[in-house]
């Protein structure tokens, strides 16, 4: 692991395109979840998507942001992320150099002493259903909010979880997506 036990607590970028060839849209991601994985803990799911809450202050989530802010929330460890990324980039022998640089510049992915991160992601409403689906715990589709964009645009309170396809091509288009990280 790049930074020891701190890595699983940190948001990691999805820079590898291969997972998105198999799950290019939220609809396909959701279908694969239902037909194959049945859990958002599956490594193929975690390679392409992240778990989200649709309301920072809602009381209905298993991992409410204010409850997990200081201690983080994670289920599985992220293994060999740097190695896979550098191999895909064609420079697999650079792992040690990258680790040394990170240590030299005191890059601590745990957010310093308290390990707190909050990643806030805004996706334009007219494309949100292409990249996200409303979900229950473990990534199971939430049929009550099948049209996530409509739920988010409604006059009723916004609540519940979602699963977001963390496709680099979405995150590289500022007209579609804005990301803020608080640490």
């Amino acid at each position: 692991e790049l930074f020891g036990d701190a890595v699983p607590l940190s948001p990691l970028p999805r820079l590898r395109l291969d997972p998105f060839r198999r799950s290019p849209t939220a609809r396909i991601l959701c279908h694969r979840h239902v037909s194959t994985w049945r859990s958002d803990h599956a490594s193929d799911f975690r390679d392409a998507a992240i778990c989200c809450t649709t309301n920072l202050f809602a009381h209905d989530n298993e991992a409410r942001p204010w409850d997990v802010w200081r201690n983080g929330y994670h289920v599985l460890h992220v293994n060999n992320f740097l190695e896979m990324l550098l191999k895909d980039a064609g420079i697999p022998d650079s792992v040690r150099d990258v680790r040394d640089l990170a240590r030299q510049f005191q890059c601590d992915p745990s957010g310093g002493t308290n390990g707190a991160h909050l990643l806030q992601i805004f996706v334009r409403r007219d494309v949100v259903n292409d990249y996200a689906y409303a979900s229950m715990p473990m990534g199971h589709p939430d049929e009550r909010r099948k049209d996530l964009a409509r739920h988010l645009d409604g006059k009723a309170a916004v609540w519940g979880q979602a699963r977001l396809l963390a496709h680099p091509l979405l995150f590289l288009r500022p007209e579609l997506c804005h990301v803020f990280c608080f640490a």
Side-chain angles (χ1 to χ4, degrees):
E1 291 183 0
L2 175 60
F3 297 99
D5 291 334
V7 172
L9 303 177
S10 306
L12 292 174
R14 301 318 197 261
L15 299 176
R16 301 175 59 238
L17 289 176
D18 189 53
F20 305 101
R21 291 184 184 100
R22 295 185 300 268
S23 298
T25 66
R27 184 179 57 76
I28 293 171
L29 178 75
C30 184
H31 172 75
R32 290 184 72 203
H33 177 279
V34 170
S35 65
T36 306
W37 305 315
R38 296 194 169 88
S39 168
D40 59 9
H41 296 190
S43 62
D44 282 351
F45 186 93
R46 294 172 66 89
D47 282 349
I50 58 176
C51 306
C52 307
T53 180
T54 57
N55 182 333
L56 184 60
F57 302 107
H59 295 278
D60 62 306
N61 291 322
E62 65 184 279
R64 297 178 299 196
W66 64 85
D67 290 337
V68 299
W69 170 254
R70 304 221 22 104
N71 299 319
Y73 177 79
H74 68 287
V75 177
L76 302 173
H77 288 277
V78 179
N79 293 318
N80 304 320
F81 174 78
L82 180 64
E83 288 84 355
M84 288 186 306
L85 180 64
L86 294 176
K87 181 180 176 192
D88 287 353
I91 49 174
D93 298 331
S94 302
V95 173
R96 182 179 297 254
D97 295 338
V98 171
R99 285 182 180 150
D100 290 345
L101 278 171
R103 288 187 185 105
Q104 177 184 342
F105 289 97
Q106 299 174 353
C107 294
D108 181 1
S110 70
T113 58
N114 68 6
H117 291 281
L118 177 64
L119 188 62
Q120 197 172 30
I121 304 170
F122 296 92
V123 178
R124 205 170 73 195
R125 195 163 288 134
D126 63 323
V127 298
V128 75
N129 287 337
D130 296 334
Y131 294 98
Y133 70 90
S135 67
M136 303 296 291
M138 305 299 285
H140 302 294
D142 184 350
E143 297 299 324
R144 298 170 295 172
R145 300 177 299 131
K146 192 165 184 91
D147 185 338
L148 184 58
R150 180 181 235 175
H151 169 72
L152 297 173
D153 200 24
K155 298 200 187 284
V158 172
W159 57 275
Q161 298 181 33
R163 298 305 184 261
L164 176 66
L165 187 66
H167 201 301
L169 299 180
L170 168 67
F171 285 79
L172 292 173
R173 296 188 60 195
E175 72 276 11
L176 299 180
C177 181
H178 288 256
V179 178
F180 301 93
C181 183
F182 303 92

